[in-house]
Every structure is written in structure tokens, then in C-alpha cells.
Amino acid sequence: MAEVQPIAAPKGATGEALLEIVELQKLFPLTQGIVFKKTVGHVRAVDGVNLTLHRGQTVGLVGESGCGKSTVAKLLVALEKPTGGTIRYKGEDLNKMGGRALKRYRREVQIIFQDPYGSLNPRMTVGDIVAEGWSVHADVAPRKGRLLRTQELLERVGLNPDYVHRYPHQFSGGQRQRIGIARALAMQPEVIVCDEPVSALDVSVQAQVVNLLEDLQDDFGMSYLFIAHDLSVVRHLSDRIAVMYLGSVVEEGTEAQVYGSPSHPYTQALLSSVPLHEPALRGQKDRILLQGDVPSPADPPSGCRFRTRCWKAQDICAAERPALIDRGQGHPAACHFAEAREVVPVEVL
């Protein structure tokens, strides 16, 4: 694929900040009534998220289902508008972009969706799906060479280039996800938001897709925001990890910091629940069983969101929301009583 120009940045670079998320917030209204609807509350899907993604870097975003990860993804690719906060791309505020700047942003920041079945139009051929973006961004690929370019993209993601005229229903889940990756790659992006791209795939296929994403990053220097609930997948790819709980980031650090010495009770509980495949390691770590259910994002607890399930909770946890700062453990954690704790390492995919 000679047309795709690699971005000159090594994996894990910490130079230019491509994406900066500052106090990002997204509230969805709760309404009552059929004819005369009135707002009676809000679901706080994303509530004060701060993240920075540097050129050539992969940031992993992990947490339970419903914690707001996918909403963050939609906000970053402008499928949803934030209620508050700022998204900056190369220093420019997304909310203030318009015209050519917004068009460029939509090309350079792509997404790979979670569902490989629902994200592809069943009425379009694979070639049309991959090339669809070029109808808007015609400067990316000359019209005369688009068929060849599409075939090159399919081959680059591990598919037969002759499949260009087939339809999505003729492919397996893993193959469909590769088509989604080719579609994102066609725009020559600088950032790809990976919204749980392997969660719907078999374990063996997951490893193949993760390895493909890693190879593509090595070749083209793209930055990834990799969203997942599988901690082993995130560890394999990520340079930095952010752990979300009920709309907020509760811990953030390098892969070694978060996995080697987690400081937030929620992170410690997540890591303790990961099954180990190596028999020699089984029984070497304490299992932390959380009590109660995840609170509703429409009515989150006061103070610390995690306090209703936390064994460390005290009066200050209900009165004051802890800031995401380093309290001496070496990396930021949103806990008044953050304390690093060694755990048996999570095995990579």
C-alpha cells in the first residue's frame, strides 16, 4: 500500500498530544410523559473524564459494561455532542471546529465499532464499504485507482483482495471486523478509536485481530484509544491504562503501574477477578468480591462513586469526591485511601 504514508512516530511516543480530553461530560435526559414530555433527571454517562493521547501511543480504557466507555468513543468521533468539557485535537477545540477543520477531523479520527455484524451495511459490497469515505474525502484516493486501493487494503488486513465484490453476510465475525479495520484505515487516520473491537469474537480470533492492530500501528504510527473490558487484551496493546467506573476515570498510569501495583480498590477488584490459565499461578492472589450492585448513573452516590461497594469507605468518602491525583503511590488514583498493592500479573492475550 504505497499510497498510505506512515506517520513518523514510534510506538509509545510521548511527544505531541494529538487528543486532549478535559473534564468531558455527557448527560442524557430522563423524560416522563408521552405528549408533553418533561425532563425529570439525567443519566450521567460520562462525568468529568480527563485523558491525553499522544502521537504513536495506545491508551487503554477499561471498566465494567455501562461505565461510559462507549459514550466516550462516540464523543471523540463526533457521533455525540458533549454536555460539558473540551475535546482538543492538535490543540484545536472540537466544539469550535467547522467547515474544513471539522471535515479533516472526521477523516483523521476514525472508529472501529464493537459489533462486526451491525456496523457493516448488508446491502453494500465489501469494496463499497471500504471505499465509502472516499466519496466525501475524494482527495484521499484518486477515483481511477480506488478499486486497486481497496484490494490493497483488504490484503493488508489479511483478506483475499478478490473478496471486494462480496457482501458482509458471506464473512465470519473476525473477517467482518477486518473489513471494519480496512474501512478505518482507508481514511489514512492519525487516531483510531477501537470500541471493544474484539469482545464479540472467539478468543483465537481475538488474538489475530489484536496482533493485526499492533502491526498496523508499527507500520503507520497511528494512535489508538483501545476500549475493552478484557484486561488481558488491553495489557497486550496499551502503553497507558485508564480505569473507568460509573462515568469517571478512577485510576490512570502506565501498563506496569496499573497492572503491577494497582492503587484504587476498584482496579484491585478487577484484577483479582481475572482468571489465570497458568496452573502454577492459581491460588497465589486473593479474590476480592465486591458487595452490592453498580449504582444507577441516573442517581450516583455522593462523594466517591465507588464507596457503596468499597471496603475502605469512611465518612469522607460520602462527603467529598476524591480527585484523580498521585497520593504517593506513583500514579494518579481517585481514592482518599489509595494504596499500591501487588497482584499476580494478568496474563496477556
Side-chain angles (χ1 to χ4, degrees):
M1 284 190 346
E3 298 90 339
V4 181
Q5 296 299 317
I7 301 168
K11 186 177 188 297
T14 56
E16 177 189 1
L18 288 181
L19 272 176
E20 297 174 275
I21 304 171
V22 182
E23 293 298 323
L24 189 62
Q25 190 179 61
K26 179 61 180 180
L27 278 60
F28 293 99
L30 293 172
T31 60
Q32 282 185 349
I34 299 176
V35 179
F36 300 102
K37 293 185 178 180
K38 66 176 182 177
T39 301
V40 295
H42 291 89
V43 174
R44 308 184 76 87
V46 177
D47 195 11
V49 168
N50 294 277
L51 284 175
T52 301
L53 179 64
H54 293 274
R55 183 180 293 276
Q57 187 182 50
T58 298
V59 172
L61 189 61
V62 301
E64 294 173 287
S65 297
C67 70
K69 305 186 302 297
S70 292
T71 302
V72 170
K74 292 177 182 177
L75 292 169
L76 289 181
V77 295
L79 291 178
E80 296 278 1
K81 289 186 176 182
T83 306
T86 304
I87 299 173
R88 297 194 190 99
Y89 179 65
K90 297 181 179 179
E92 188 175 355
D93 189 344
L94 175 59
N95 290 330
K96 297 179 181 178
M97 286 185 188
R100 291 183 179 179
L102 183 58
K103 183 179 179 181
R104 187 190 76 247
Y105 178 86
R106 290 184 180 277
R107 180 184 73 80
E108 294 184 0
V109 181
Q110 290 291 306
I111 186 170
I112 300 170
F113 293 98
Q114 177 180 0
D115 184 3
Y117 297 92
S119 60
L120 303 180
N121 190 333
R123 297 177 181 270
M124 297 175 65
T125 65
V126 168
D128 290 338
I129 289 171
V130 173
E132 185 178 16
W134 296 334
S135 62
V136 177
H137 305 278
D139 57 314
V140 177
R143 186 174 296 276
K144 287 186 178 180
R146 288 182 181 177
L147 176 59
L148 177 61
R149 177 70 180 281
T150 302
Q151 291 175 318
E152 290 174 341
L153 286 167
L154 290 179
E155 187 173 17
R156 183 62 188 84
V157 298
L159 295 175
N160 190 324
D162 294 335
Y163 291 170
V164 69
H165 298 299
R166 294 189 179 187
Y167 289 85
H169 74 271
Q170 297 174 279
F171 296 89
S172 67
Q175 289 175 319
R176 293 186 193 200
Q177 201 59 290
R178 290 174 186 268
I179 296 167
I181 294 171
R183 175 174 59 185
L185 196 64
M187 294 294 100
Q188 297 185 354
E190 296 209 29
V191 176
I192 297 183
V193 179
C194 306
D195 184 15
E196 302 206 39
V198 298
S199 63
L201 308 178
D202 293 337
V203 174
S204 59
V205 180
Q206 286 183 9
Q208 295 171 14
V209 173
V210 168
N211 289 334
L212 171 63
L213 290 171
E214 194 170 31
D215 290 342
L216 291 173
Q217 187 179 49
D218 289 339
D219 289 346
F220 305 118
M222 299 168 295
S223 301
Y224 290 146
L225 177 68
F226 194 91
I227 298 172
H229 60 263
D230 188 328
L231 297 171
S232 61
V233 173
V234 175
R235 183 169 197 180
H236 181 83
L237 271 176
S238 303
D239 304 301
R240 297 190 68 83
I241 310 288
V243 181
M244 280 191 73
Y245 181 79
L246 211 63
S248 301
V249 174
V250 297
E251 186 162 4
E252 193 266 341
T254 65
E255 175 267 337
Q257 289 169 337
V258 173
Y259 284 85
S261 55
S263 302
H264 195 283
Y266 177 64
T267 309
Q268 294 170 0
L270 279 182
L271 293 175
S272 78
S273 66
V274 177
L276 296 173
H277 304 293
E278 178 59 49
L281 295 176
R282 294 173 187 171
Q284 292 187 24
K285 65 178 180 180
D286 297 329
R287 179 74 183 274
I288 300 174
L289 298 177
L290 297 178
Q291 303 299 317
D293 298 323
V294 179
S296 169
D299 186 25
S302 62
C304 176
R305 300 289 173 83
F306 186 63
R307 66 175 178 83
T308 57
R309 307 173 73 194
C310 182
W311 62 94
K312 291 185 176 182
Q314 297 184 25
D315 291 343
I316 189 176
C317 301
E320 182 180 333
R321 186 175 180 179
L324 183 66
I325 59 174
D326 185 353
R327 293 175 172 80
Q329 70 275 13
H331 61 281
C335 176
H336 294 297
F337 307 101
E339 183 179 7
R341 173 177 177 174
E342 292 186 3
V343 297
V344 174
V346 173
E347 298 165 302
V348 297
L349 183 67

